[in-house]
Amino acid sequence: RVRIALLEDDLDALDQTPLHALPCAMRGADFCAGVLYTVQGSTLGGKVIWRQLNALLPDDTGRTFFRGSIDDSRNWQTLCARLEEPDRQIDQMVAGARHGFETFAQLLMPDSETLAV
């Protein structure tokens, strides 16, 4: 919720309209872990984007979403450890990760074809 509020604030500062999330039916813990993999990974990638925006934006206005939090690395390590636990349904995690990537693509490029992962 905090990250969504940051994104909405950034979009407002840049005079952009927020995109609305696409609905997703819950499909089990392993599927959700795959989706979380894409979300947590993009959070780490966002930190790189935040630094690259130094040349374009003089302060954090319009880019606070990308900054992330001090817990991001720890959250990533915790997630990776959980993904490697025995008895995980790999096919469900892969399906969840694909769903996450496809959802990002649909939100960022709504007129494009579904992403082939």
Side-chain angles (χ1 to χ4, degrees), residues 2-3 6 39-40 42-48 50-51 60 63-76:
V2 170
R3 293 192 41 83
L6 290 173
V39 172
Q40 287 298 122
S42 70
T43 299
L44 296 178
K47 291 176 179 288
V48 174
W50 179 76
R51 286 190 303 271
D60 276 355
R63 64 179 174 144
T64 56
F65 172 78
F66 290 119
R67 184 178 56 218
S69 75
I70 59 173
D71 296 327
D72 292 337
S73 294
R74 182 180 49 83
N75 291 341
W76 177 253

Side-chain angles (χ1 to χ4, degrees), residues 35-107:
V35 173
L36 187 57
Y37 173 86
T38 63
V39 172
Q40 287 298 122
S42 70
T43 299
L44 296 178
K47 291 176 179 288
V48 174
I49 294 170
W50 179 76
R51 286 190 303 271
Q52 297 299 314
L53 289 173
N54 284 338
L56 297 174
L57 301 171
D59 57 27
D60 276 355
T61 302
R63 64 179 174 144
T64 56
F65 172 78
F66 290 119
R67 184 178 56 218
S69 75
I70 59 173
D71 296 327
D72 292 337
S73 294
R74 182 180 49 83
N75 291 341
W76 177 253
Q77 291 171 349
T78 301
L79 175 63
C80 288
R82 288 267 174 99
L83 293 176
E84 294 178 8
E85 290 176 351
D87 299 326
R88 286 288 193 179
Q89 294 180 353
I90 301 296
D91 60 326
Q92 287 300 304
M93 289 191 302
V94 169
R98 285 180 185 229
H99 177 79
F101 285 119
E102 289 172 359
T103 300
F104 281 143
Q106 289 173 355
L107 287 169

